[in-house]
Every structure is written in structure tokens, then in C-alpha cells.
Amino acid sequence: MQPFLAVPDRQSGFAAAVMQVAGPLPDGLTAWHGQPPEARFSVYRNNVQAGLARALASRFPAGERIVGPDFFAAMARTYVELHPPRSPVLLGYGDDFPDFVAAFEPAASVPYLADVLRIEVARSRAYHAADLPPLDPAELADIPPEAVGALRFRLHPTVHLVRSPHPVVTIWTMNAEGGEPGPIDDWLGEDALVVRPHLAVAVHRLPSGGAAFIAALGDGATLAEAAEAGAVASDHFDLAANLTGALSSGVFSRIAEGRFP
Amino acid sequence: MKPSNLPAGAGVGFKPQHFGAITAEPQPLAFFEVHAENYMGAGGLPHAQLARLRQDYALSIHGVGLSIGADQVLDGAHLARLKALCDRYQPESFSEHLAWSSHGDVFLNDLLPLPYTEATLARVIEHVDRVQTTLGRAMLLENPATYLLFAESTIPETEFLADVVRRTGCGLLLDVNNVFVAATNHHRSAEDYLAAFPLDRVGEIHLAGHEADTDEIGAPLLIDAHSTPVPDPVWALYASVIARIGPVASLVEWDNDVPDWPVLRREAEAAGRVLAASAKRVAA
């Protein structure tokens, strides 16, 4: 008779086996009737594997709706096996799920899926981010026009940009709660702005050049420099419309510099 | 240290979808319980809701990820997060499980069973001590729902828990559904288990539903699913415990297939009636 397993081996063996779909049970597991507890161990396997896949489904509801629950669950279980969570806080589990899906061969026929998932990552990150009041647009009112170009802004901590060659905001909206999937006539790229100035997370479709504009401001550019970045990104970049939109959606937390020229 | 300051009334596990209904009118409930790990983001709606509930009700913070039964050092970062959460909300109770859920840095997201031996007992005592020292408060340790047994176990679960209590001063969270599930799964008597349980150290009771399955030889296999109303045998065990120890904070857990608020509230009210009847007997 073999000696009883030391505890470290016990939990290593249990942990390895419980992450496998099938395969032999660790030694030393029993049931009251003395038969091998295959079905009993399967309860733990299912709790771990299906439980983590369900955690992903609840973080990516639009993605699940696009590919269907069965496909999503199979894809999620593959991800879970390759990328198990490394923290007991699951709020951030799946941050790199979009990258995994982008390279997941069976999902290649849905090329926009990864970008929809990126919006969902951005939404949940914004949902849990630190609270901070957005910049009050009135703060800009008394700045002399000649000083405006030198302003720098601090982005609100909940801001995320998702740039896509697909109409990703339209697709996400159609597949989000309350949305209705339908045909898309003009298949044009869209950039998403995700932001939560107060308690509700918003997803906005950015105007042309808007993502480059906000990204430049986030990198510390002045308003004039960011406007140039927007114009380089798009011939149709409209500074006034983009600045107004950014202010009204709560993209900035404060003026970082240049307030008093 | 008193292991729990929860009022001896009925409570429920808080679900965000119930927030509107809960705050629309005063609820006949003594407390709410939340899973600690769902409130470890920096801000946003979860904290706004919890702060609002905290104003009106007692609070139990229930951890599901600390892995107290793991044969490795407790995750210091996670313990720090728990301390920050307890410091922020000052809950009447903090509880965790006699189980493990992390191995290395991989989080397995389930309450996994451990063998009961002198070695695992020493480890759990060390971990409970560290939790209580770090948090600066006593904790409640919950008895697990288990599906299988370990050949190397030498200590009955009730004795294991009693030793942890004696050595650490912690209290116990008695999950009556877990008692019923584990007793059924291991072909034992739930009543015998309760007779051996250190009931004088119970600071909270959990009530929940389970799902029934069988294993490959047809033996009953109950799953701790938290997806149904509390079934009659669990209510009966609960009543027997309350008859013996008097009123104690009692929580209805319903985590999957969560019903509308009135259904969950009725479950809690049923627990409240058992507590009220017991309080009358105690007073008489």
C-alpha cells in the first residue's frame, strides 16, 4: 500500500485534474460506497470549467449573442484551459479574451467579434474604474480664444477607445441588451468611445478622426497638436464637433495645463 | 472578540438586479450579505449600491476567494483587499470557507475540498489566525458542501472545525444546506453531524437550495447549486438548530436562476418567522 499523499501533492494533483475535461482521478479520492468517485469529481470539474466559462459569458453578453451560447461556451472553455485566472478577483478576468478570440481559428468567419469583445472589456473596466467627476465644460468659458490651443487635458479614468475596421459600435448596439440584430448596409469602420462620467457606462460612435484626437490628448498633446492628429487621421476631422462631443460625454476629468496662459 | 455582530434576524444575499425593489420601500430584513470579491473594483455602481444598502441595514461580507484551506501561503494582496473592504464598510461580520480555491497563482473559482488531517488542521489554524490578525476582527468559518472524501482524512469535519474554533477564537457560519448536501452525499446523518457541531460558536446560518443527481452506482449526489427555494428538509434542519440555540442571523442564498425580489423576500420572511417563534419561546 502506498503511503498517503503529502498535502502539496494532494492539491497539485487535484488542481491539475480538475482543470482537465477528462482523465484519471488523483489517487486517494473516495466515496462512502468505496467505488471510484468519477461522477463526484466531475461536479468539481464542471464547477471550475463551466463556472469560469459562465463568468466570461456574463462579461461578454454581446459576444455570446453573436456566436450563440454553445459556440461561446466551447470557445470560452478553450480560453479557460489556456488562460486560467491568476487572481481571485474575477472582475478583470478575460481582459485578453479579445486577443485570444482574434487568433481563434474557429471564430475566423466572424472577423468583427474580437472588436465587439474589446468594447465589452472597455465597458466592464469603465464600470469598475475609480469615480471622478468629469470636467465641467463651463471651465473653458473664460479662457481667451488665443490660449485654447495650448490647453492640455487629463482624460477621465473610465475612458477607453476601440478602433475598428468594422462597424463595431453598430454591431455591439444591435447585440447589447435591448438591441435587435439586423442588416448593415454600409460596412464602414467605426471607432468607439467608452466612458463612465457618473454611474452609467456609455458607448459612443466617434466622428471621423475622433479617436486619434482623444488618443493624442490622452498622450499629453495640446489641443492644437491633438487637432492636427485628428486632421491627419481624417480629411473630415471637425475640431469644434469633436471637442464639444468630448466635453459633453465626459471624456476629460480636468484641464491639466495652460489654464492660465 | 465576538465573532459576529450581525443582528439575530433574517437576511438575503444581495443581487444588484434587486437594488431598485429593495430601496423602493423598507424591507422586513435585518441584514444583507455580499460576496467580497464583487466589490473589489475601484468605484462605480457596485460601491454606490453597497454604500446605500449599508446606510439602512447591517452588512455581512462573505469571501469566496481567500483559499483558507490551501496548502500554500495566503495571498497577501487579496488579504489586503479584504482589509480595505472591511475598513471601508465596517461590516457586522466577515466570513470565509473551509475550502481552497487557488493553487499557485491559478484561481480555480470553486470551493474545493481538503482532507482533514493534523497537517491540514495546523495550516487552516495558521491561516485563520493570519486573517483575524490582519483584519483586526474575528471571522466566521463556513462548513463546506462536499461531494467526495479523502482516504487520508483522519479527523471528522465537526471535530476539525471545533479545533479551529478552539485554537483561533473564530466563530462558525453554519450552512444548513451544506450539512444536508454533504450528509446525503456521504451517506451519513445530518442530525448526527449537527449534534457534533460546535453550535455555541455559530454567528450566522446559511439557507439555500440544491439540485439532486446520482453518481454512477445510483447513489444520491446533491449539488450545492443555490438555484432553487430552500427545500423542506433544509427548513426542518434549520428549525431544529434554532430550537436548540435560539435566534441567530439567518441568510437565504440564491445565486443562480435568481428570482424576482418578492420571491426571495418571501424565503427570508419564512426564516424570519422561525426566528420570531424561537425568540418568543426564549422570552417565555
Side-chain angles (χ1 to χ4, degrees):
Chain A
M1 185 179 160
Q2 65 174 49
F4 289 134
L5 292 168
V7 176
D9 292 335
R10 156 64 63 218
Q11 291 191 353
S12 296
F14 199 108
V18 88
M19 283 298 275
Q20 291 163 357
V21 176
L25 265 49
D27 290 337
L29 303 186
T30 67
W32 62 271
H33 47 56
Q35 300 299 308
E38 299 272 355
R40 292 156 184 270
F41 192 72
S42 294
V43 177
Y44 293 112
R45 277 185 165 140
N46 183 63
N47 284 353
V48 170
Q49 297 169 28
L52 287 170
R54 270 198 306 277
L56 290 171
S58 69
R59 194 178 179 194
F60 299 100
E64 185 187 35
R65 189 167 170 190
I66 287 170
V67 298
D70 293 344
F71 186 92
F72 188 92
M75 185 166 69
R77 283 176 86 135
T78 307
Y79 173 82
V80 164
E81 197 184 333
L82 296 170
H83 306 274
R86 304 281 171 179
S87 164
V89 185
L90 287 180
L91 304 179
Y93 184 51
D95 278 359
D96 61 354
F97 186 56
D99 294 343
F100 166 83
V101 168
F104 187 64
E105 201 64 34
S109 61
V110 197
Y112 50 84
L113 181 61
D115 285 344
V116 173
L117 300 179
R118 289 188 176 102
I119 289 182
E120 300 200 286
V121 166
R123 287 188 79 249
S124 62
R125 289 177 69 96
Y127 185 79
H128 292 292
D131 298 312
L132 199 63
L135 171 68
D136 180 353
E139 282 193 45
L140 288 171
D142 54 349
I143 293 177
E146 68 274 14
V148 168
L151 292 177
R152 296 178 206 271
F153 294 89
R154 192 61 54 83
L155 293 193
H156 195 271
T158 63
V159 165
H160 295 268
L161 300 171
V162 177
R163 304 191 216 192
S164 178
H166 307 287
V168 66
V169 180
T170 303
I171 297 168
W172 174 80
T173 306
M174 286 177 167
N175 290 283
E177 195 179 338
E180 205 48 65
I184 296 174
D185 296 331
D186 294 319
W187 196 272
L188 299 171
E190 293 177 352
D191 298 334
L193 163 67
V194 177
V195 61
R196 178 179 66 78
H198 302 288
L199 284 180
V201 180
V203 179
H204 301 284
R205 187 185 293 102
L206 284 170
S208 191
F213 172 68
I214 294 172
L217 289 169
D219 287 339
T222 64
L223 190 57
E225 291 162 351
E228 200 173 316
V232 167
S234 166
D235 293 341
H236 307 292
F237 179 74
D238 178 339
L239 174 59
N242 273 279
L243 183 58
T244 307
L247 285 166
S248 66
S249 54
V251 163
F252 308 123
S253 59
R254 62 184 177 88
I255 299 171
E257 194 185 303
R259 175 73 178 75
F260 302 104
Chain B
M1 269 190 305
K2 203 169 166 232
S4 157
N5 291 310
L6 286 174
V12 301
F14 171 63
K15 296 292 156 194
Q17 59 266 44
H18 294 148
F19 182 78
I22 289 168
T23 51
E25 56 183 332
Q27 300 296 332
L29 298 174
F31 72 106
F32 284 91
E33 182 165 286
V34 294
H35 287 181
E37 286 72 12
N38 291 339
Y39 295 86
M40 289 183 173
L45 193 60
H47 287 290
Q49 291 186 337
L50 187 55
R52 170 69 201 281
L53 285 183
R54 185 74 190 96
Q55 289 174 6
D56 298 333
Y57 300 95
L59 177 67
S60 163
I61 291 186
H62 188 53
V64 295
L66 189 55
S67 204
I68 281 176
D71 187 60
Q72 59 186 23
V73 176
L74 282 182
D75 179 344
H78 197 59
L79 205 44
R81 287 189 286 265
L82 288 169
K83 175 166 170 50
L85 197 61
C86 286
D87 287 350
R88 178 169 179 177
Y89 290 102
Q90 298 289 323
E92 276 74 9
S93 173
F94 172 75
S95 50
E96 252 286 357
H97 301 82
L98 179 60
W100 58 286
S101 50
S102 291
H103 186 69
D105 66 346
V106 171
F107 177 61
L108 294 160
N109 192 38
D110 192 28
L111 298 165
L112 299 169
L114 60 151
Y116 300 134
T117 66
E118 293 300 333
T120 61
L121 177 62
R123 178 65 76 161
V124 168
I125 287 168
E126 181 189 323
H127 286 172
V128 170
D129 268 341
R130 182 164 171 215
V131 173
Q132 296 188 135
T133 305
T134 305
L135 299 185
R137 57 159 66 226
M139 62 166 287
L140 304 179
L141 188 64
E142 178 174 345
N143 60 295
T146 53
Y147 308 116
L148 49 71
L149 302 168
F150 294 90
E152 67 263 41
S153 286
T154 53
I155 307 173
E157 186 173 285
T158 46
E159 197 179 305
F160 192 98
L161 286 165
D163 279 350
V164 175
V165 165
R166 192 162 52 242
R167 297 275 299 279
T168 68
C170 78
L172 295 170
L173 196 175
L174 172 60
D175 188 314
V176 180
N177 180 55
N178 287 357
V179 170
F180 185 77
V181 165
T184 305
N185 289 344
H186 306 317
H187 201 58
R188 292 173 185 160
S189 153
E191 289 75 12
D192 289 353
Y193 181 96
L194 288 173
F197 197 89
L199 289 175
D200 57 323
R201 293 297 291 174
V202 172
E204 185 187 349
I205 290 179
H206 272 181
L207 294 158
H210 52 259
E211 286 171 8
D213 202 346
T214 54
D215 71 5
E216 49 273 89
I217 70 155
L221 178 56
L222 301 185
I223 316 292
D224 180 33
H226 296 188
S227 58
T228 65
V230 179
D232 288 342
V234 174
W235 281 123
L237 281 180
Y238 172 63
S240 78
V241 170
I242 295 301
R244 279 155 68 185
I245 65 174
V248 60
S250 300
L251 181 100
V252 176
E253 295 181 291
W254 200 324
D255 296 315
N256 298 298
D257 301 330
V258 176
D260 288 343
W261 174 246
V263 176
L264 182 54
R265 190 176 104 160
R266 275 198 296 278
E267 288 284 286
E269 286 173 317
R273 282 193 294 276
V274 175
L275 294 172
S278 161
K280 262 185 220 152
R281 277 196 304 276
V282 171

